[in-house]
Amino acid sequence: MTSSPRLYHTLSTPVPGDPLTVAVRLAMRAADTPHVLYERHGTWSVAVGAAAELTVTPAEVRLSAPGGERTAPWEGHPGPVVRELLSGLPFENWRAYGTAAFELACAGTPSLAELPCDQVLLRLIVPAVETRITDGTAVIRALDPEAAERTAAALDPTAIEVGRTVPVDLAGEDSELYLKAVSSAAQEIREGRDGSPRKVILSRSVPVREPVDIARTYLLGRSRNTPARSFLLGLDGLRAAGFSPEIVLAVDPGGRVRTQPLAGTRALTGEAGEDDRLRRELLADPKEFYEHAVTVRTSFGELADICVPGSVAVHDYMSVKPRGTAQHLASELAGTLAPGRDGWDALASLFPAVTVSGVPKSAANVCIRRLERDPRGLYGGAVLTVDQDGSFDVALVLRSVYQRGERTWLRAGAGIVGQSLPEREFTETCEKLRSVSLSVVAAQAPGADAPAPDRADRADRDTGLSVERMRADIAEALRCPVELVDDERSLIAQGLDSVGLMTVASKWSAFGVRLKVADLALEPTLAAWGELVRAQRDGGAPRSAV
């Protein structure tokens, strides 16, 4: 390792337009370079390249950084070894980005010996270039000042054409196997067998049959979801995009630690009356109430183990959070880390999230390994950031699409208790899968801006983009009845944000219309947008109708 820390060169520059689009374009430029896009609280951070890389396998922790490579064995949990190796990083004010596989749950258990010796349980990169985009400004941090300048020059808010979506069969190929697994787990829980869990989350995978564009899938999916965190990454041959409904944990520099378990689900349809009915049903369902209560109780105990006595409290108990095509019972718990404890201790205590494992976790994890067909990998694991100042932000990986080589798949699970009905739990997985499946975008031909339209798209293109079609798309983005979209009233005043602007612009690009988000924002009314479309189609002055 080098003796003196290397400094990040910082460049701040205005960036107009939609920050999501700018961030996705940076990730797309990264191509096969290691990269992680991570969204938190309205800030999109894009980490590109690996100035240093840390990898945890069942056998060792390995850190590759300027000055050489270090390896060290670990026992119990890799956190202490990771902490020690990261403390010697030769960078000032570093932030690491990475992933944790669900199988990190095997740490400290006999199951660890069953894993392949080279399986990656945790991977972190300290980026060569990091861009944080928020509030119209991009802050670029790079070890090479020329790389910072190149990144600034590459910032591009131009709308990205999304193209057509891919149909996904949510029933999959193993629906009967899943129903049998749920029935078996519920029976085991009811009988109270020795070593059986009181709750276990069983998941299933659904293949995607066509080639998929992960970056465009993230772009479209983010416009349709309301995540706690979101991410787009390419690491170690795995590409993934996700819209995390909850955090595993967050730690601030002062040692305040939070977790936000979600347990209990109903569909979110976008129809106000039906969603209200399902919300009331969710809040009145004894099975969902029990499932959430045991989840909160477990999270409380895990925090109490690492926090100052008496500091752990539950906030916002059993509120209902909308997450894409599902609504969930949610609670937030927070406490103050005890002296000598840090984020690695919090990760050891809270990971994997109880909402993807079960209660108690040890018994649930054994049940998962017995009843699920294949290893989970990133599903149920985490995408995380770790800062030199002790900050952690750990997003639970759910509502995601995964791609390795030519294989693309989705995955979702449901919480199984003694009262579970297999058909209802299967339906719940479908409700969750739709948060992603409706936004899976087909891969584009090399050099093409968008894939060829299917027959229905051609019919729409032939008939033209009408005002009523535009009105319907705007109503969908606003989640309001079509009749409430007024021609002259500001759509931004009605609640259409930058993500909504990007969404409608992307939809209308399928008609051959190229509208920049910045242009839409200048005069955000349906009447003005209609004139823009007419002018572009005719190649002349705007007219009053489309």
Side-chain angles (χ1 to χ4, degrees), residues 125-356:
I125 62 167
V126 176
V129 181
E130 177 194 44
T131 306
R132 303 181 191 179
I133 307 166
T134 185
D135 295 331
T137 300
V139 177
I140 303 166
R141 303 171 69 238
L143 295 171
D144 177 0
E146 293 185 0
E149 295 286 351
R150 289 194 299 270
T151 300
L155 298 177
D156 183 359
T158 306
I160 299 171
E161 294 185 11
V162 173
R164 71 176 180 88
T165 56
V166 174
V168 181
D169 179 9
L170 298 186
E173 301 171 344
D174 61 350
S175 57
E176 290 300 320
L177 290 175
Y178 184 76
L179 292 171
K180 290 179 180 178
V182 170
S183 179
S184 175
Q187 179 69 21
E188 182 178 328
I189 293 169
R190 285 194 298 271
E191 293 177 356
R193 302 174 192 173
D194 289 343
S196 65
R198 298 193 300 279
K199 171 187 173 182
V200 61
I201 286 75
L202 294 181
S203 68
R204 64 187 186 94
S205 294
V206 172
V208 181
R209 297 303 183 188
E210 295 185 39
V212 170
D213 188 313
I214 289 289
R216 285 177 168 83
T217 295
Y218 170 76
L219 188 68
L220 181 58
R222 178 60 186 84
S223 72
R224 295 175 169 179
N225 280 275
T226 49
R229 304 287 189 272
S230 72
F231 62 86
L232 170 66
L233 61 85
L235 291 174
D236 195 33
L238 175 70
R239 297 180 183 276
F243 318 102
S244 174
E246 64 182 276
I247 59 170
V248 181
L249 65 99
V251 179
D252 67 24
R256 189 70 174 167
V257 58
R258 297 184 299 110
T259 187
Q260 186 193 53
L262 273 62
T265 303
R266 285 296 184 275
L268 194 63
T269 67
E271 298 180 7
E274 177 64 4
D275 288 341
D276 286 344
R277 185 191 69 78
L278 290 170
R279 181 180 184 276
R280 292 192 300 271
E281 180 182 290
L282 175 61
L283 289 167
D285 190 324
K287 180 264 181 185
E288 305 286 10
F289 185 91
Y290 170 77
E291 182 184 345
H292 190 82
V294 297
T295 297
V296 171
R297 186 182 306 120
T298 298
S299 296
F300 190 98
E302 291 171 341
L303 279 181
D305 287 342
I306 55 172
C307 286
V308 173
S311 69
V312 179
V314 180
H315 307 280
D316 204 20
Y317 181 63
M318 286 189 66
S319 62
V320 178
K321 299 291 185 185
R323 294 290 186 258
T325 58
Q327 50 187 324
H328 303 279
L329 296 179
S331 297
E332 181 171 306
L333 299 88
T336 301
L337 290 172
R341 300 284 196 171
D342 66 4
W344 293 108
D345 298 298
L347 186 68
S349 184
L350 290 161
F351 185 93
V354 64
T355 50
V356 290

Side-chain angles (χ1 to χ4, degrees), residues 495-517:
L496 193 67
D497 58 14
S498 59
V499 173
L501 290 172
M502 179 275 297
T503 300
V504 294
S506 296
K507 285 185 176 181
W508 300 338
S509 68
F511 295 90
V513 175
R514 305 292 183 266
L515 296 175
K516 294 182 179 180
V517 171

